[in-house]
Amino acid sequence: MTDSPKTQSASEHGGLAHVMPLPVLLAVFALLMGLTVATVSATWIDLGPWNLGIALGIATVKAALVALYFMHLRYDHPFNALIFLTGLLFLALFLSLTLLDTLEYQPAIRSWLENR
Amino acid sequence: MAEAPSDNYLTHTRGITSWLFTLDHKRIGVMYLVSILAAFLLGGVFAMLIRGELIDPGPGMLEAMVGDATAAKNLYNHVFTLHGAVMIFLFILPGIPAAMGNFVLPIMLGAKDVAFPRLNLTSLYLWWFGAVFFVVTLVSGGLDTGWTLYAPYSTETSSAVIPATAGAFILGFSSIFTGLNFIVTVHTLRPPGMTWFKMPLFLWAIYATALIQVLATPVLGITLLLLGVERFLGLGIFDPKLGGDPILFQHFFWFYSHPAVYIMILPGMGIMSELISVFSRKHIFGYKFIAFSSVAIALLGFLVWGHHMFISGQSPLLSMVFSALTFSVSIPSAIKVFNWLATMYKGSISLATPMCYALMFIFLFGIGGLTGLFLGALSTDVIMHDTYFVVAHFHYTMVGGVLVAFLGGLHYWWPKITGRMFNDLLGRIAALLVFVGFNLTFFPQFLLGTHGMPRRYYTYPEKFHPGNFVSSLGAFVLAVGLFLVLFYLLHSLFRGRGAPANPWGAATLEWQCSSPPPHDNFASPPPVGDPYDFTGLEYDPEIGGYIRKEEGSGFRVQGSGFAERGGTQGAEP
Amino acid sequence: MIDPANGSPEPQHAGSRTAHLAHHFHTPKQQFDAGKLGMWIFLMTEILLFGGLFCAYAVYRANHPEIFFYAEQFLDKWLGAINTGVLITSSLTMAWAVRCAQLSQTRGLVTCLALTLACACGFLGIKYVEYEHKWRDGLLWASKYAPHRVRDSGFSVQDSGFPQERGTQAAEPRTLNPEPSSQKNAGIFFSIYFMMTGLHAIHVLAGMGAITWILVLAAKGRFSSRYFGPVDYVGLYWHLVDMIWIFLFPLLYLIH
């Protein structure tokens, strides 16, 4: 595969889109693999409830790398990133209120089970 | 009398395959219109069965149909379920966006088509595919869970839940793709000069609707998928015996189904903004308020779903939160109503059929919306949940609101779509019948509800008899009115006078091309002005429509869609 | 495309320039941007579709953490980690494929797409192995949850607190003898596991179909720097599939 080492900007190729340089793709790949190793390794350290937070944090960083570089969001119209974030926002809304409700009514379930 | 141009979108190509494989948004819109009207008829049949059964207490026509009392009771469950499911999934949700939005949006925008015409056709195919599943449901065991499909009954009943949920799932994707298409179209295909605030308010409404379609419908998708897998494989997440939680089903279901009612009403409100302005011959009052209120309704509608679950086992904390939030969503709706009324004030009101429906909407949706406040308030809802008060509330908003707006829009754009004028006198008579019939049917139901009649019951104590009798009588009147509409609209297709480009004197772009429009709408992007500026539009009795007169040189719209200078042919510039 | 003879761009022939331009768009950029916007909206709907399952996960894990801690021992985190690596690799090859298309490198494009497909096959293969183990051991969703024997695969088993030896290499099957209370409703974990990984696998399959379609078109030379939208859009979808797995892996396999 022939390749040009310099960054291919959008204007050089008909103006359709930014071309991701190969070193960036490979670097992101290496980071993603490294973070995968990290997240597996983290399970051997017992930090109680923080383990979930760390695992999700690492996953979020990995997802951000995929979104920003593999999916070009860093070099794209900001509106596309807004769409993505809006989906996450509404998901967070749904998740949080539903979760809160289920947590709130557990005592009612438990007391019913005990009094049966 | 204006003649339909010889080459328009209806005549451009011929043959059934040219329709079934078309990419023309106008033809797709027409096919949607016919399809959803057929679904409306089916849903209406179920409605008449309900009212027929409830006209008297005790066993009634259903028992006469099936012979056995128990079978009749079970059949009643199927009848009200299918009435709801067919009306909601096949008629009201797709209704205005698919049948009218598809036709009108690109032309109103000044574009040649939607952004993704093949996706548009796919949406239509998916509607048909989903409808097939509903027919399968009908013939293979029916559906008796209520349209809300609550677990655990829906996971245990022997009725055809899986075909029905498959149908609704497919219809959901039809809706998502339509919404996706509309959002991209509005963002990318506006002509030069049409900024966001030069767009007609119908397009703002359709855009806001599309936002809900793409954000909420996927959650319905996963809900139905989970229900299907629960039933088919025994997944267990809604089954308490296996450690599951049936209230989780309700959270999942209503997270979509509440915003869904805004999918239903927002396009209707968009139509209202057009009709009120045109038939008051006055610029819409508070354009930006109406535009922003559409988006506000779309967003706020996502915050209130728990108000359907006040007595299901939802925690008191969340019930209070949802009740408080529910009051907020009434505010943008009220803003719209005030702006419409202000538009009419000191306007020159013309009571053509579309305006009759517009006025009806304000009155009936007003009642519907206000009664929603009683249900949003936690303390009163505890008493009225699952009574006929709820039934009356949502019929006032869905029928008195959405159906009435649909009929208003249908009459408004009928000349554009078909190239024919309908009989306006019959139109107004039918509108009156619809109004009287509707109120007779549903107003008593508010009283039945506050007096304690539960919904989804096939019989009732004698004290509820008068209310039910009037209600069933009203349903009959409503049906007559609707059949009259069908009659004169069909009649107009054969005998109606040819429609001019702009019969109502509107200023939005779709009235600048011929009726019916040519195949590619506009040869070049049309000049964009204020969509509610009626100055310069004068009625020309010769063509039976309006033309824009400016500085003495008239612009006459030609069949090709170009506006040509000169009152006579071949005049030199 | 660059004319190799004199290094300057070829004159834009009306035919080749507008060959891929639909009648309702004015410029290729408008069409490309519209397509991208459409794909991002679709991806957002996929986030909300899967989001429902993440919500179910959150609800059950928050309210019944004991079930999750108990059931985690049955998932092989090494297979999960390998699968994560496989999908990340496939994302690399997919992004590389988009780059090739943008640079009119048809051979590179076809190679990268083929590698992406190969990774996807690998992913599904490993998933099949995992599912087969579960089926064999009776570790299915709630109504079919009936664990009878668990074969020690030789990988280290999480310390579940039960009276068994850790990390045994023995090939003989051992029977679980857990506390009854922590085993109650453990099937719910597997309901969620199968639903989430199953729906994800369906999306992988659909992605493979889309990539195959693009591969065929690419082999015919359809894509170049002037027209590569479909490659880009399929790529976006594929990256989302990877992204979902990036979250599924720790949530299902790395529970502590």
Side-chain angles (χ1 to χ4, degrees), chain A residues 2-3 15 18 20 43 102 106, chain C residues 29 51 63 99 102 105 256:
Chain A
T2 57
D3 211 348
H18 170 267
M20 194 62 69
T43 61
T102 60
Q106 292 305 310
Chain C
K29 179 116 176 72
N63 291 304
R99 179 186 151 80
Q102 288 176 302
Q105 294 162 354
H256 238 226

Side-chain angles (χ1 to χ4, degrees), chain B residues 249-324:
Chain B
F249 177 87
Q250 295 188 28
H251 276 295
F252 273 58
F253 181 82
W254 288 112
F255 184 80
Y256 163 74
S257 300
H258 188 80
V261 313
Y262 298 109
I263 297 176
M264 300 174 199
I265 195 65
L266 272 174
M269 290 171 157
I271 295 180
M272 283 304 113
S273 297
E274 303 301 323
L275 298 184
I276 300 271
S277 177
V278 169
F279 293 98
S280 308
R281 300 226 64 70
K282 193 157 161 275
H283 196 291
I284 193 83
F285 188 91
Y287 172 96
K288 282 194 177 168
F289 276 93
I290 299 183
F292 287 133
S293 69
S294 297
V295 180
I297 291 173
L299 298 177
L300 290 173
F302 277 93
L303 303 180
V304 302
W305 78 87
H307 67 222
H308 299 270
M309 297 164 59
F310 285 151
I311 67 169
S312 312
Q314 181 172 257
S315 63
L317 172 67
L318 265 296
S319 294
M320 287 189 278
V321 167
F322 280 122
S323 178

Side-chain angles (χ1 to χ4, degrees), chain B residues 9-10 12-32 113-114 116-125 128 519, chain C residues 23:
Chain B
Y9 80 97
L10 291 167
H12 186 74
T13 51
R14 297 206 186 260
I16 190 153
T17 50
S18 76
W19 279 82
L20 290 178
F21 297 109
T22 185
L23 295 178
D24 180 355
H25 68 96
K26 300 181 287 298
R27 288 190 169 192
I28 292 174
V30 168
M31 288 190 281
Y32 259 118
D113 209 319
V114 289
F116 307 122
R118 280 174 297 188
L119 188 66
N120 206 9
L121 186 63
T122 305
S123 286
L124 177 63
Y125 287 167
W128 284 339
H519 170 72
Chain C
H23 80 285

Side-chain angles (χ1 to χ4, degrees), chain B residues 114-117 176 180 183-184 187-189 214-215 218 222 225-226 229 233-237 242-245 248 252, chain C residues 23-26 30 34-35 37-38 41-42 44-45 48-49 52-53 55-56 59-60 141-144 185 188 191 195 199:
Chain B
V114 289
F116 307 122
I176 288 173
L180 192 158
I183 292 176
V184 179
H187 273 278
T188 61
L189 289 179
V214 299
L215 282 168
I222 194 66
L225 193 62
L226 284 171
V229 175
L233 293 178
L235 190 71
I237 74 163
L242 295 169
D245 184 354
L248 194 63
F252 273 58
Chain C
H23 80 285
H24 55 285
F25 286 111
H26 298 302
Q30 188 192 35
L37 177 61
I41 296 175
F42 178 67
M44 185 185 67
T45 69
L48 283 157
L49 186 84
L53 295 179
C55 181
V59 164
Y60 285 111
W141 48 91
S143 63
K144 289 198 160 53
N185 296 330
I188 284 291
S191 296
M195 198 67 210
L199 189 61

Side-chain angles (χ1 to χ4, degrees), chain B residues 112-441:
Chain B
K112 287 193 175 160
D113 209 319
V114 289
F116 307 122
R118 280 174 297 188
L119 188 66
N120 206 9
L121 186 63
T122 305
S123 286
L124 177 63
Y125 287 167
L126 288 175
W127 190 98
W128 284 339
F129 194 38
V132 165
F133 275 90
F134 269 88
V135 172
V136 167
T137 306
L138 281 178
V139 303
S140 71
L143 189 67
D144 65 344
T145 59
W147 84 275
T148 47
L149 298 163
Y150 277 8
Y153 185 66
S154 56
T155 53
E156 292 167 8
T157 179
S158 59
S159 59
V161 174
I162 289 184
T165 50
F169 184 86
I170 294 167
L171 288 163
F173 273 94
S174 173
S175 182
I176 288 173
F177 291 146
T178 298
L180 192 158
N181 224 336
F182 286 174
I183 292 176
V184 179
T185 306
V186 170
H187 273 278
T188 61
L189 289 179
R190 276 175 290 126
M194 183 166 304
T195 61
W196 281 87
F197 293 121
K198 285 241 177 85
M199 279 203 315
L201 288 166
F202 180 62
L203 297 188
W204 272 97
I206 292 279
Y207 181 80
T209 306
L211 290 177
I212 310 176
Q213 282 174 302
V214 299
L215 282 168
T217 319
V219 179
L220 176 74
I222 194 66
T223 308
L224 295 174
L225 193 62
L226 284 171
L227 179 62
V229 175
E230 175 107 359
R231 227 182 124 78
F232 189 64
L233 293 178
L235 190 71
I237 74 163
F238 301 132
D239 185 351
K241 296 192 288 292
L242 295 169
D245 184 354
I247 299 188
L248 194 63
F249 177 87
Q250 295 188 28
H251 276 295
F252 273 58
F253 181 82
W254 288 112
F255 184 80
Y256 163 74
S257 300
H258 188 80
V261 313
Y262 298 109
I263 297 176
M264 300 174 199
I265 195 65
L266 272 174
M269 290 171 157
I271 295 180
M272 283 304 113
S273 297
E274 303 301 323
L275 298 184
I276 300 271
S277 177
V278 169
F279 293 98
S280 308
R281 300 226 64 70
K282 193 157 161 275
H283 196 291
I284 193 83
F285 188 91
Y287 172 96
K288 282 194 177 168
F289 276 93
I290 299 183
F292 287 133
S293 69
S294 297
V295 180
I297 291 173
L299 298 177
L300 290 173
F302 277 93
L303 303 180
V304 302
W305 78 87
H307 67 222
H308 299 270
M309 297 164 59
F310 285 151
I311 67 169
S312 312
Q314 181 172 257
S315 63
L317 172 67
L318 265 296
S319 294
M320 287 189 278
V321 167
F322 280 122
S323 178
L325 288 168
T326 301
F327 288 101
S328 71
V329 76
S330 62
I331 297 172
S333 302
I335 288 176
K336 284 183 190 281
V337 173
F338 293 135
N339 279 300
W340 293 327
L341 294 175
T343 305
M344 285 170 59
Y345 179 66
K346 290 199 174 167
S348 170
I349 313 281
S350 148
L351 284 175
T353 307
M355 187 58 162
C356 292
Y357 284 107
L359 295 174
M360 233 192 281
F361 178 98
I362 295 179
F363 181 69
L364 297 176
F365 180 74
I367 293 177
L370 288 170
T371 52
L373 293 172
F374 290 92
L375 295 168
L378 181 52
S379 45
T380 42
D381 184 78
V382 168
I383 299 161
M384 296 202 284
H385 182 85
D386 271 348
T387 65
Y388 260 83
F389 192 91
V390 180
V391 177
H393 157 71
F394 63 68
H395 282 93
Y396 263 82
T397 47
M398 290 204 277
V399 181
V402 183
L403 178 69
V404 164
F406 176 85
L407 290 171
L410 186 63
H411 286 79
Y412 180 60
W413 282 305
W414 186 260
K416 182 59 56 185
I417 296 173
T418 62
R420 303 285 188 158
M421 299 301 291
F422 54 86
N423 184 319
D424 197 58
L425 176 63
L426 285 183
R428 285 183 273 174
I429 292 173
L432 185 64
L433 283 171
V434 165
F435 182 74
V436 169
F438 173 84
N439 280 299
L440 277 178
T441 310

